[in-house]
Amino acid sequence: MLEVHDLTVRFGGITALGGVGFEVRGGEMVGLIGPNGAGKTTLFNCLTRRYDADGGSVRYEGRDLLAVPPHAIAALGIARTFQNLGLFPRMSVRDNVMVGAHHHGRAGFVAASLRLPSVRGEERRLRAEADELLERLELSDVAGHPAAGLPFGTLKRVELARALAARPRLLLLDEPVNGLSHGEIDEFAGWLQSIREDFDVTVIVVEHHMGFVMGTCDRVICLDFGKKIAEGSPEEVQRDPAVIEAYLGTA
Ligand code: ATP
């Protein structure tokens, strides 16, 4: 599904990604780990075309992803969540999720919110789909509540719902369980596993929480200083001396 070759991104004198390469097969859940500043978010920003690459190539479903304009990424079936939640605080949880469906390229949420007669039917459909996702993630109780003021763990789930509303084939999750309690992390892992199967979605997840990564991912890639230093099963990567040294500071 995704083939990344020799991907390089520089910011002035900093090489955020220095020739990174890997592949992701359809249906996989791949964990992307590495210490702070390793280049994980930069990689997501490249895959979603927020950042231009200085070198290398990315093929997504056979297409040259680096030639795709940023606004066309969602329509290609790529959705992401953000480390620092990207929700609209004053909008209701349901409307935040419907924004995700709009990004899918279907009848516009903005047009729908204007209540134009031609889009009322579409609005109803998007709303029903949003409500289905909210129910699935146990968010129905807060559907009409503004995002602002809700507990952090709830907002993380709203972000997941919003990304899923775009019906992605490739879902990029940036630190989805950061800041959650142990119980919330287990719950999130369970939802993710079932969603993955039911939505037939391929997932790349950046996460520092090793228990979550090791328990949920099929394969793990470790970056350090913009380079891939390890790749393999969670068990292999966890035992890799280079990873232990880079990530934990001791070999
Ligand atoms: P963290 O786990 O802390 O989120 P990360 O692995 O996601 O770290 P990146 O955020 O990708 O790391 O950063 C990689 C390097 O690129 C860092 O040195 C960072 O300061 C730099 N960097 C990232 N984005 C920019 C930018 N827009 N301008 C300048 N430097 C940047």
Side-chain angles (χ1 to χ4, degrees), residues 3 16 22-23 33 47 49 56 65 96 100 123-124 141 149 155 159 168 179 182 189 203 214 222 228 236 242 246:
E3 296 167 50
F22 63 91
E23 291 184 11
I33 65 169
L47 297 180
R49 300 290 292 112
L65 195 66
N96 266 288
E123 183 195 2
R124 269 199 298 274
D141 288 355
L155 295 176
E159 266 243 317
H182 289 305
V203 182
M214 299 302 159
C222 183
K228 184 175 79 175
E236 285 165 349

Side-chain angles (χ1 to χ4, degrees), residues 107 112 115-128:
R115 307 283 192 265
L116 299 175
S118 59
V119 294
R120 271 194 203 133
E122 179 70 357
E123 183 195 2
R124 269 199 298 274
R125 198 166 66 76
L126 293 181
R127 189 185 160 102

Side-chain angles (χ1 to χ4, degrees), residues 160-175:
L160 177 62
R162 182 170 65 171
L164 288 169
R167 301 287 161 194
R169 295 192 294 282
L170 177 62
L171 179 60
L172 308 175
L173 301 176
D174 201 346
E175 302 196 18

Side-chain angles (χ1 to χ4, degrees), residues 11 14 16 34-43 51 83 175 206 208:
F11 299 105
I14 296 170
N36 291 328
K40 306 178 298 293
T41 299
T42 300
L43 179 60
Y51 292 168
Q83 209 169 317
E175 302 196 18
V206 165
H208 284 290

Side-chain angles (χ1 to χ4, degrees), residues 69-80:
H71 66 264
I73 286 295
L76 286 183
I78 301 177
R80 76 177 286 183

Side-chain angles (χ1 to χ4, degrees), residues 82 84-90 96-97 147 154-156 158-160 162:
F82 292 87
N84 306 311
L85 302 163
L87 299 169
F88 297 103
R90 290 197 199 162
N96 266 288
V97 174
T154 306
L155 295 176
K156 286 284 207 186
V158 177
E159 266 243 317
L160 177 62
R162 182 170 65 171

